[in-house]
Amino acid sequence: MADFEMTLADLRSLMEMRNGEAVNKIRHTYGDVHAICQRLKTSPVEGLSGNPDDLQKRRTVFGQNFIPPKKPKTFLQLVWEALQDVTLIILEIAAIISLGLSFYHPPGGDSEACGQASGGVEDEGESQAGWIEGAAILFSVIIVVLVTAFNDWSKEKQFRGLQSRIEQEQKFTVIRKGQVIQIPVAEIVVGDIAQIKYGDLLPADGILIQGNDLKIDESSLTGESDQVRKSQDKDPMLLSGTHVMEGSGRMLVSAVGLNSQTGIIFSLLGAGENDEEKKVKKTKTQDGIALEIQPLKSEEAAESEEKEEKEEAKPVKKVNVTKKEKSVLQGKLTRLAVQIGKAGLIMSAVTVIILILYFVIDTFAVQGRPWLAECTPIYIQYFVKFFIIGVTVLVVAVPEGLPLAVTISLAYSVKKMMKDNNLVRHLDACETMGNATAICSDKTGTLTLNRMTVVQAYIGDKHYKTVPSPDAIKAETLETLVNSISINSAYTTKILPPEKEGGLPRHVGNKTECALLGLVLELKRDYQPVRDEVPEEKLYKVYTFNSSRKSMSTVLKNADGGFRMYSKGASEIILRKCSRILDAQGQPRTFKPKDRDEMVRKVIEPMACDGLRTICVAYREFPVEAGEPDWDNENEILNELTCIAVVGIEDPVRPEVPEAIAKCRRAGITVRMVTGDNINTARAIAAKCGILMPEEEFLCLEGKEFNQQIRNDKGEVEQERLDKIWPKLRVLARSSPTDKHTLVKGIIDSTVGETRQVVAVTGDGTNDGPALKKADVGFAMGIAGTDVAKEASDIILTDDNFTSIVKAVMWGRNVYDSISKFLQFQLTVNVVAVIVAFTGACITQDSPLKAVQMLWVNLIMDTLASLALATEPPTESLLLRKPYGRDKPLISRTMMKNILGHAVYQLVIIFTLLFAGEKFFDIDSGRNTPLHAPPSEHYTIVFNVFVMMQLFNEVNARKIHGERNVFEGIYRNLIFCSVVLGTFVLQIIIVQFGGKPFSCTALSIDQWLWCVFIGVGELLWGQLVTTIPTHHLKFLKEAGHGITKEEIHEEELAEGADEIDHAEMELRRGQILWFRGLNRIQTQIKVVNAFRSSLFVGLESPESRSSIHSFMSHPEFVPLSEEEANNPPLKEIGVKPEIFHDASSESPSTAPSVKPSI
């Protein structure tokens, strides 16, 4: 096959032109679009041949429609990141110092002169073992790091899988060999003829071949929010990443992947890996502060860097996009972690100070010894030991397991939710769903089957309760009806034979149109011959369906030069425009307003009350004599119609929906139906679903009424007026997308109830985008949804079914509960371990729990417990309680009671053993041993009992609402059982064979039995604690509150500022950098961003978009040229000019980058 007559460069220069310029260029250089098609060896009607060699050649010459993602982080990089954890770094340093000192032996000197300090050093063998503790700490640090890195790695892998799944599912309609087929977006090549329609996200650049009333939203590329009209003679250039808001058409694909306009912008943003690294280095050296502030190149430092890069690509002037707030759980966890971290930090500092003071006073004041030079190393060894103890207290106090628990819990849920037909695009949506108090659902396809069929009709003055036989209708009327339906519908809508024998025919395209085509088939006619006779090229003008018109019309030119227009649409709208109607003889007779009212009363309302959707089919003749009408004056055109028929379309309620709605009601969630149908149909369906209950007071409003009631005289929405309506509102009919958005925003902003409402919304149309974005959780329909809706959503329902939403609620609540369970367990251990280490250290100068033991306890508490408790499967009982709401604390009174109750039991036991254990077990006391003394049985028993109590308390932690039976359903959770057994086995190994590194000696069998017995006591004690009624314990404080209302107002004032979480605010007040480590919690929940920002770090906004073809479905993106114009002076926004490397020019260019000033 000869080479193409256009090069990549030709196409590229052509695609950079716009409007008239492009039209002229095409005219002068090529002739017309068809000539370009010939040069690209393709046919505007038949499309490409689909020959694999040809397609491959096109990919080689013009590139693939694919933008390569950023390379994932390697395992070593993740290990390196995990090593950056502050607490770990401190432990590593302490361990290394301890190691170094153990190998340093002081020269002779009078060891007596150094006081008791040298007690154990005489024993040569023992002093040799001094290195063991340091080595053991390093070893346990390595384990912790590997576990963390592995978790991050598997998480990243999971997200990449999810990502590619979303991308593979994105298909686009093209014409090949004259057949209309759907192919994955990545397989589109230059020269393909693509069919575009309302709601599509264009996957590649192209030139319009034929279009009907095409309007495109190019804001993602240009920042202009107005829709751009496209036509062959005015502006035929279509760009990738833009949205089709109205109309339909066909385009010739002229640029794909990195050569498309979007791709070019990406490569300008330094998509290449190396440029990015250079840029980062530049930033670092350029900016001393960056280095000081981020001593830990942890994920969150990486994230802040990513933010800077985002900032560079993001203009400061934002197009108004509703920004999702930080998820509820995230906010609560961040605050809780900061509180715990502070407490831990103070405790550990106090421990170290007390130990050092005690030692110094005891050695130099009480015994009155001089400080001898040769004793210095021994003293330093003591100080290092104290320091290690202090750090260990901190390690135990800081719940590093929290981010892990959250991540495991969310990732586990997301994975399982896939099976329940929920494709989660933003991790935190899964948890927010558990708090949902209101669901605003579409009717069509979500509550109903979206399998439309015509069941009643009014044709020729007669109302048929079932579809009439073709003989009952006059031939002329039938002919007009069949033509009207076949031609005035998208030609992509078809009814195909069933896939399986005996199945239902497949409906492709718009479901309402499928119902009408089904009617044609039931009247023993076929629509295909009519369409073949009038192909799309012959359609003179098409007014496509959109939410404001609520009708669709197609104009044909007759042989005599006159025009005929076919229309269809919502019956109340079309009937208003009708002045004639076809009678029983097939002749038009006049149709006056009073006839219309009678028809509404006798035909339309009865149909609507049966839950049918009524569609009116009409036509109009424009005679030759009148000349060509003004097609742009729609009101004039869509008038004087002749009604052919009114049909009632039924969309049956999904059989499982009523039960799902009953579950929602029990769970304290209000379901509201928002639909475009008329009020009678909506009410009938709402009653069938159980949204309307016979005994309740409720409102059913139409969009118009709704707006009258909530707007003031100026036409502005008033929150007070809305607050009077929404609590009772159950059905909003004939609503426009704006109404949906107004309702959602009104409910979210409302302050009527005691808590702020958390609203979930379902949507499928392009126009539902704003409502989906505004909602706390947006559900898009996987089957019926347009690309635009999917982009704006948080969760995609792969089966378009309402019951999947209820499953999402269940999983969301489960996540919340899992994290509460984990917290209850974790905090008990923390409280006990910190107090034991602290008091033990102060009284006996040595922590009863050694550093390595603490790290092991930390490992079981954190990593293993988060695995065990975060993977509890949800049960139906989760749906029997009301939602928690935004400001309910993470740790309820009941949990506080459990934490403190169990802490009391454990502390009493441990202190008894510590100070009287040697008498009870008849062994040597382990207190006040010299520096490198061998491990004592006494302290081993203390350690073992401590771990046993944790193990049994882990079972208690499975229930957080004060249930008695803690074993319920335990066998269903294999992970839990295996973790508990595994920990037990490891503990035996550590105690029996751990020896010096773990400071353990082997115990006898009866000592073991005592340890286990004391552990089992936890379970019995748990029953006792449960018996105490919580309401008597008024003094117990709750912890981990949500954000209070006052703070919300403060936050709103600072809306212009970039989002700061509370931990950052603490930092702002000049507090310790340590909390950056804690910040990882929030980072790890937000970990999605990191993995989603495939290579275009620069572009994605925090609620990152899902696919490479949607990179710029975001109004926040304004090309760089405009950015300069929009930038306020740097001084105003507190920005530090910063050098970054521009990939296009090798010279450094200064660009503003917003950096939070700490």
Side-chain angles (χ1 to χ4, degrees):
M1 194 177 184
D3 279 339
F4 307 106
E5 294 164 42
M6 282 182 84
T7 62
L8 191 56
D10 295 343
L11 284 171
R12 207 163 168 166
S13 65
L14 176 61
M15 288 318 293
E16 275 162 12
M17 300 184 173
R18 301 280 173 273
N19 308 353
E21 193 188 1
V23 177
N24 294 337
K25 166 99 177 175
I26 292 176
R27 246 184 230 139
H28 296 317
T29 319
Y30 304 109
D32 63 356
V33 183
H34 292 266
I36 297 181
C37 288
Q38 278 166 351
R39 288 178 175 231
L40 288 174
K41 305 260 189 303
T42 179
S43 143
V45 184
E46 294 279 309
L48 292 176
S49 62
N51 168 3
D53 303 340
D54 174 39
L55 294 179
Q56 192 45 50
K57 187 168 181 188
R58 285 173 193 275
R59 286 196 190 104
T60 329
V61 179
F62 299 112
Q64 302 192 4
N65 196 19
F66 173 67
I67 293 180
K70 192 160 82 183
K71 288 205 291 286
K73 287 185 178 146
T74 58
F75 188 70
L76 286 175
Q77 279 170 309
L78 290 170
V79 168
W80 179 240
E81 274 178 15
L83 274 171
Q84 312 297 324
D85 188 339
V86 197
T87 37
L88 290 181
I89 290 179
I90 292 171
L91 270 179
E92 287 155 25
I93 294 171
I96 289 166
I97 297 176
S98 152
L99 265 180
L101 287 174
S102 68
F103 288 123
Y104 171 73
H105 294 300
D110 179 10
S111 54
E112 261 316 297
C114 303
Q116 55 167 43
S118 54
V121 183
E122 280 94 336
D123 181 351
E124 261 309 286
E126 290 303 337
S127 66
Q128 295 307 307
W131 60 273
I132 290 182
E133 186 165 29
I137 293 180
L138 283 182
F139 179 70
S140 37
V141 166
I142 291 169
I143 297 274
V144 172
V145 165
L146 287 177
V147 170
T148 318
F150 179 74
N151 271 309
D152 287 347
W153 179 77
S154 56
K155 209 155 50 185
E156 178 153 358
K157 208 172 99 197
Q158 224 169 2
F159 278 114
R160 293 217 171 242
L162 193 67
Q163 195 60 34
S164 57
R165 172 165 171 179
I166 292 176
E167 275 164 30
Q168 281 155 11
E169 283 189 351
Q170 225 175 352
K171 290 205 164 37
F172 209 78
T173 315
V174 297
I175 300 173
R176 288 197 180 161
K177 280 201 289 213
Q179 293 287 316
V180 177
I181 56 168
Q182 286 210 321
I183 60 171
V185 167
E187 287 179 20
I188 293 176
V189 293
V190 170
D192 258 324
I193 306 296
Q195 283 199 341
I196 54 178
K197 59 178 189 311
Y198 152 86
D200 283 342
L201 178 72
L202 298 185
D205 291 357
I207 304 168
L208 190 64
I209 299 176
Q210 173 259 326
N212 312 320
D213 194 20
L214 196 61
K215 284 193 189 146
I216 305 259
D217 169 13
E218 292 189 346
S219 59
S220 54
L221 278 180
T222 61
E224 296 296 322
S225 53
D226 299 342
Q227 295 176 9
V228 186
R229 253 211 144 85
K230 298 283 180 184
S231 59
Q232 291 98 304
D233 45 1
K234 296 268 189 339
D235 182 1
M237 297 310 201
L238 301 169
L239 307 173
S240 58
T242 59
H243 292 127
V244 183
M245 298 313 271
E246 257 182 54
S248 60
R250 293 208 312 273
M251 74 170 186
L252 162 70
V253 175
S254 60
V256 293
L258 286 169
N259 301 310
S260 64
Q261 290 302 301
T262 317
I264 290 171
I265 289 173
F266 273 131
S267 30
L268 286 180
L269 281 166
E273 196 63 10
N274 322 352
D275 308 327
E276 206 168 289
E277 279 165 25
K278 284 182 208 157
K279 191 157 84 185
V280 172
K281 283 198 189 102
K282 226 11 182 234
T283 318
K284 286 266 168 125
T285 46
Q286 184 59 30
D287 189 9
I289 301 183
L291 282 170
E292 287 161 38
I293 293 175
Q294 299 169 351
L296 7 152
K297 172 84 184 63
S298 65
E299 282 168 48
E300 131 293 321
E303 191 189 36
S304 64
E305 237 174 63
E306 240 162 69
K307 276 200 194 118
E308 287 157 34
E309 288 174 32
K310 281 176 199 163
E311 241 65 84
E312 285 163 12
K314 217 190 288 176
V316 180
K317 173 181 168 293
K318 283 204 180 135
V319 185
N320 219 348
V321 169
T322 50
K323 182 159 72 190
K324 294 247 169 137
E325 300 159 31
K326 201 160 76 183
S327 86
V328 194
L329 183 66
Q330 230 170 304
K332 292 179 183 176
L333 282 176
T334 312
R335 310 185 83 195
L336 191 67
V338 168
Q339 290 162 355
I340 296 175
K342 275 186 185 162
L345 194 63
I346 294 165
M347 290 290 274
S348 63
V350 171
T351 313
V352 174
I353 292 167
I354 290 182
L355 283 171
I356 290 179
L357 284 178
Y358 187 100
F359 175 77
V360 170
I361 293 169
D362 184 55
T363 311
F364 301 120
V366 179
Q367 301 182 19
R369 295 170 185 273
W371 178 297
L372 300 173
E374 62 267 24
C375 295
T376 308
I378 295 183
Y379 294 149
I380 290 182
Q381 252 179 316
Y382 261 96
F383 290 149
V384 169
K385 179 177 158 189
F386 296 152
F387 182 61
I388 290 181
I389 291 171
V391 173
T392 331
V393 172
L394 180 74
V395 172
V396 175
V398 175
E400 313 93 288
L402 210 48
L404 200 65
V406 175
T407 315
I408 290 179
S409 181
L410 287 172
Y412 172 76
S413 307
V414 167
K415 209 167 174 169
K416 293 285 190 198
M417 281 168 83
M418 294 275 269
K419 293 201 178 84
D420 284 340
N421 303 311
N422 282 299
L423 186 82
V424 181
R425 292 186 55 231
H426 299 143
L427 259 194
D428 48 8
C430 156
E431 155 263 320
T432 313
M433 218 28 232
N435 285 323
T437 54
I439 298 176
C440 295
S441 171
D442 277 357
K443 174 179 78 71
T444 313
T446 315
L447 299 171
T448 59
L449 283 169
N450 202 6
R451 206 186 153 82
M452 310 272 200
T453 36
V454 174
V455 287
Q456 297 187 18
Y458 179 89
I459 306 176
D461 287 345
K462 185 159 182 223
H463 185 171
Y464 297 93
K465 290 287 190 187
T466 55
V467 175
S469 70
D471 323 335
I473 306 169
K474 263 282 192 252
E476 297 80 42
T477 312
L478 187 58
E479 194 56 36
T480 318
L481 181 66
V482 169
N483 283 348
S484 176
I485 290 174
S486 309
I487 292 169
N488 185 29
S489 58
Y491 279 27
T492 47
T493 304
K494 302 189 180 61
I495 294 185
L496 301 177
E499 284 178 343
K500 292 199 280 290
E501 275 296 303
L504 294 166
R506 276 182 302 157
H507 286 183
V508 181
N510 183 310
K511 303 297 187 208
T512 313
E513 288 178 355
C514 286
L516 293 168
L517 294 177
L519 173 68
V520 171
L521 297 177
E522 277 198 65
L523 293 169
K524 308 278 185 286
R525 293 303 179 88
D526 191 2
Y527 59 86
Q528 203 51 54
V530 183
R531 285 183 174 180
D532 295 343
E533 202 177 307
V534 187
E536 268 184 288
E537 291 75 58
K538 285 200 188 160
L539 304 180
Y540 191 80
K541 174 123 186 86
V542 179
Y543 297 95
T544 49
F545 181 89
N546 68 22
S547 55
S548 52
R549 278 192 196 122
K550 292 211 192 305
S551 67
M552 171 179 179
S553 313
T554 304
V555 183
L556 297 180
K557 193 164 187 173
N558 297 339
D560 62 357
F563 297 93
R564 168 177 266 201
M565 176 175 78
Y566 292 118
S567 293
K568 66 164 189 284
S571 54
E572 51 265 56
I573 289 171
I574 298 279
L575 281 178
R576 261 191 233 117
K577 312 280 172 95
C578 288
S579 53
R580 291 185 209 66
I581 186 166
L582 296 181
D583 61 13
Q585 267 42 62
Q587 298 308 317
R589 64 175 167 81
T590 52
F591 184 65
K592 298 195 186 67
K594 71 171 203 315
D595 301 332
R596 186 175 75 233
D597 296 341
E598 186 184 10
M599 182 156 171
V600 166
R601 209 175 57 249
K602 289 201 170 151
V603 180
I604 291 175
E605 285 187 352
M607 280 188 186
C609 290
D610 293 340
L612 304 186
R613 185 170 177 180
T614 53
I615 300 281
C616 177
V617 183
Y619 74 103
R620 176 181 180 183
E621 296 285 3
F622 295 98
V624 183
E625 304 79 68
E628 180 158 350
D630 171 13
W631 297 115
D632 287 340
N633 185 350
E634 276 187 50
N635 288 343
E636 276 305 302
I637 302 282
L638 202 64
N639 214 337
E640 300 291 320
L641 302 175
T642 307
C643 170
I644 310 171
V646 172
V647 294
I649 297 180
E650 180 185 47
D651 185 6
V653 171
R654 288 176 178 266
E656 63 275 19
V657 162
E659 192 198 339
I661 288 183
K663 276 185 191 164
C664 284
R665 186 171 289 246
R666 279 200 300 275
I669 301 170
T670 313
V671 181
R672 293 181 175 82
M673 181 160 106
V674 183
T675 171
D677 258 347
N678 74 33
I679 189 130
N680 295 333
T681 314
R683 197 184 276 126
I685 299 252
K688 281 184 193 163
C689 293
I691 292 177
L692 300 180
M693 285 309 221
E695 68 278 0
E696 282 183 4
E697 259 191 86
F698 52 77
L699 282 174
C700 292
L701 292 178
E702 282 201 344
K704 206 153 79 218
E705 253 180 291
F706 173 69
N707 276 312
Q708 281 163 0
Q709 295 195 23
I710 62 168
R711 291 178 190 275
N712 58 17
D713 313 335
K714 294 201 194 96
E716 295 158 347
V717 178
E718 282 191 359
Q719 189 67 43
E720 295 82 71
R721 295 181 177 219
L722 232 170
D723 286 346
K724 292 199 185 83
I725 293 179
W726 73 256
K728 289 241 167 74
L729 184 69
R730 290 292 176 275
V731 175
L732 184 57
R734 279 278 169 250
S735 71
S736 67
T738 342
D739 297 339
K740 192 174 192 173
H741 182 253
T742 311
L743 177 66
V744 171
K745 184 174 182 313
I747 298 180
I748 289 180
D749 294 347
S750 168
T751 49
V752 176
E754 52 273 26
T755 56
R756 157 160 138 41
Q757 297 276 319
V758 177
V759 185
V761 172
T762 66
D764 52 7
T766 303
N767 39 30
D768 288 329
L772 288 170
K773 266 219 177 76
K774 178 68 193 160
D776 295 289
V777 183
F779 285 91
M781 300 299 146
I783 305 167
T786 57
D787 293 349
V788 184
K790 290 180 188 170
E791 283 311 312
S793 69
D794 301 293
I795 297 179
I796 297 175
L797 294 178
T798 48
D799 62 346
D800 289 14
N801 189 341
F802 187 80
T803 44
S804 305
I805 300 180
V806 181
K807 295 222 179 88
V809 172
M810 213 155 83
W811 277 107
R813 293 186 171 189
N814 191 49
V815 167
Y816 209 89
D817 279 8
S818 297
I819 286 162
S820 292
K821 287 172 190 171
F822 174 71
L823 271 174
Q824 177 174 305
F825 175 66
Q826 167 100 47
L827 291 179
T828 314
V829 188
N830 278 8
V831 169
V832 176
V834 169
I835 294 178
V836 167
F838 175 70
T839 47
C842 298
I843 298 170
T844 65
Q845 283 81 69
D846 184 9
S847 167
L849 299 171
K850 301 289 181 290
V852 184
Q853 296 175 350
M854 289 278 213
L855 281 169
W856 161 238
V857 169
N858 216 23
L859 193 75
I860 45 172
M861 302 186 325
D862 287 1
T863 314
L864 299 172
S866 60
L867 248 179
L869 291 167
T871 52
E872 290 269 310
T875 55
E876 288 283 329
S877 61
L878 287 168
L879 292 175
L880 298 177
R881 62 170 173 77
K882 298 275 175 275
Y884 280 149
R886 291 197 154 250
D887 28 19
K888 176 169 183 314
L890 268 176
I891 298 173
S892 61
R893 273 225 177 89
T894 314
M895 285 168 62
M896 210 50 152
K897 175 184 77 177
N898 292 343
I899 291 172
L900 296 177
H902 288 292
V904 166
Y905 174 80
Q906 297 188 7
L907 285 171
V908 167
I909 296 277
I910 285 195
F911 282 132
T912 312
L913 285 177
L914 194 57
F915 295 113
E918 69 271 25
K919 301 192 187 63
F920 177 73
F921 281 110
D922 194 24
I923 48 180
D924 297 334
S925 164
R927 294 190 297 283
N928 300 326
T929 45
L931 192 57
H932 294 301
S936 65
E937 275 188 348
H938 183 191
Y939 274 18
T940 307
I941 289 176
V942 172
F943 165 60
N944 199 15
V945 165
F946 182 66
V947 173
M948 288 301 124
M949 291 195 293
Q950 300 328 325
L951 268 185
F952 286 99
N953 195 28
E954 198 164 339
V955 180
N956 277 331
R958 291 184 67 243
K959 300 288 179 231
I960 49 175
H961 297 299
E963 296 92 332
R964 284 229 172 259
N965 181 4
V966 288
F967 291 105
E968 182 196 355
I970 196 164
Y971 53 86
R972 287 222 317 280
N973 188 354
L974 287 175
I975 303 184
F976 185 85
C977 301
S978 44
V979 165
V980 171
L981 287 173
T983 317
F984 188 66
V985 172
L986 279 171
Q987 178 64 15
I988 294 178
I989 294 170
I990 286 176
V991 170
Q992 297 304 96
F993 310 106
K996 187 82 193 188
F998 279 98
S999 317
C1000 288
T1001 44
L1003 298 179
S1004 64
I1005 198 88
D1006 50 342
Q1007 286 169 335
W1008 264 102
L1009 287 173
W1010 273 110
C1011 293
V1012 175
F1013 173 71
I1014 294 173
V1016 176
E1018 264 292 339
L1019 293 174
L1020 306 171
W1021 181 258
Q1023 294 300 314
L1024 192 71
V1025 173
T1026 314
T1027 318
I1028 305 169
T1030 311
H1031 53 85
H1032 290 335
L1033 307 172
K1034 285 281 184 290
F1035 58 88
L1036 285 184
K1037 285 272 186 294
E1038 302 157 323
H1041 284 269
I1043 300 164
T1044 57
K1045 282 188 181 157
E1046 296 75 60
E1047 285 172 16
I1048 290 182
H1049 294 314
E1050 274 174 38
E1051 275 185 5
E1052 279 166 6
L1053 297 176
E1055 185 51 353
D1058 217 38
E1059 195 176 0
I1060 311 161
D1061 61 57
H1062 295 287
E1064 288 269 336
M1065 278 165 93
E1066 308 265 355
L1067 272 180
R1068 293 264 161 119
R1069 300 189 192 117
Q1071 286 186 353
I1072 330 164
L1073 280 175
W1074 275 62
F1075 291 116
R1076 286 213 83 117
L1078 292 169
N1079 251 0
R1080 287 182 56 199
I1081 291 190
Q1082 162 222 5
T1083 317
Q1084 278 188 316
I1085 307 182
K1086 273 196 168 167
V1087 80
V1088 182
N1089 304 356
F1091 300 143
R1092 283 269 166 78
S1093 64
S1094 8
L1095 93 149
F1096 334 111
V1097 165
L1099 285 183
E1100 310 238 326
S1101 67
E1103 61 265 35
S1104 170
R1105 301 280 144 254
S1106 85
S1107 134
I1108 59 164
H1109 297 291
S1110 57
F1111 14 65
M1112 290 172 332
S1113 50
H1114 231 49
E1116 284 172 355
F1117 182 81
V1118 177
L1120 298 171
S1121 56
E1122 273 180 49
E1123 178 179 342
E1124 269 95 75
N1126 295 340
N1127 272 346
L1130 297 185
K1131 303 273 185 313
E1132 280 177 35
I1133 48 175
V1135 162
K1136 179 167 190 334
E1138 201 184 277
I1139 302 282
F1140 86 104
H1141 217 68
D1142 192 296
S1144 50
S1145 65
E1146 279 301 310
S1147 65
S1149 64
T1150 306
S1153 131
V1154 182
K1155 226 180 200 304
S1157 49
I1158 293 193

